[in-house]
Amino acid sequence: PVTVSRDSGKPVTEKRDGVTMKKKEKELRRKKLRTAAITAVLACMAEEAAMMQAGAGQAAEASRPAAPPSMWGMSGRQDMMHFRSMMQMKAFHGGRVR
């Protein structure tokens, strides 16, 4: 149930779970929730930044050159690409090469 003001016709109070909340109380609650959400996001961002800085120091110490690519892996990927291109040729050109 909503109470309507006689002057403006806008809702003044709203009942939620048997509790009447005035418009100012609702705005204050929204402001508090918004502030809490923003604070939580900023805290998470600060924590991530601290973790990144800590991780950057460890990564610089433990960095080593990357392993060379595996010839067997490269051959397998090349075979897959060749098979896919052959299947596309078969699908678009009807099984015969012109």
Side-chain angles (χ1 to χ4, degrees), residues 39-57:
T39 304
V41 169
L42 290 175
C44 287
M45 289 174 63
E47 184 179 334
E48 285 180 2
M51 289 174 56
M52 295 278 271
Q53 287 178 345

Side-chain angles (χ1 to χ4, degrees), residues 5-16:
S5 171
R6 292 182 188 176
D7 299 331
S8 63
K10 294 182 182 178
V12 176
T13 59
E14 181 178 287
K15 286 190 177 182
R16 182 179 290 171

Side-chain angles (χ1 to χ4, degrees), residues 8-72:
S8 63
K10 294 182 182 178
V12 176
T13 59
E14 181 178 287
K15 286 190 177 182
R16 182 179 290 171
D17 300 328
V19 178
T20 302
M21 297 177 69
K22 293 183 181 178
K23 193 173 185 179
K24 288 183 181 180
E25 291 173 347
K26 284 177 29 179
E27 288 176 12
L28 182 62
R29 184 170 182 258
R30 284 184 192 153
K31 186 183 252 186
K32 284 182 181 180
L33 288 173
R34 187 179 308 129
T35 304
I38 291 171
T39 304
V41 169
L42 290 175
C44 287
M45 289 174 63
E47 184 179 334
E48 285 180 2
M51 289 174 56
M52 295 278 271
Q53 287 178 345
Q58 292 174 356
E61 295 170 1
S63 65
R64 57 183 170 158
S70 167
M71 290 297 159
W72 285 108

Side-chain angles (χ1 to χ4, degrees), residues 84-98:
R84 287 180 184 144
S85 67
M86 294 301 288
M87 292 301 290
Q88 287 175 357
M89 284 176 58
K90 185 176 180 181
F92 293 128
H93 298 293
R96 59 187 163 104
V97 179
R98 298 179 188 177

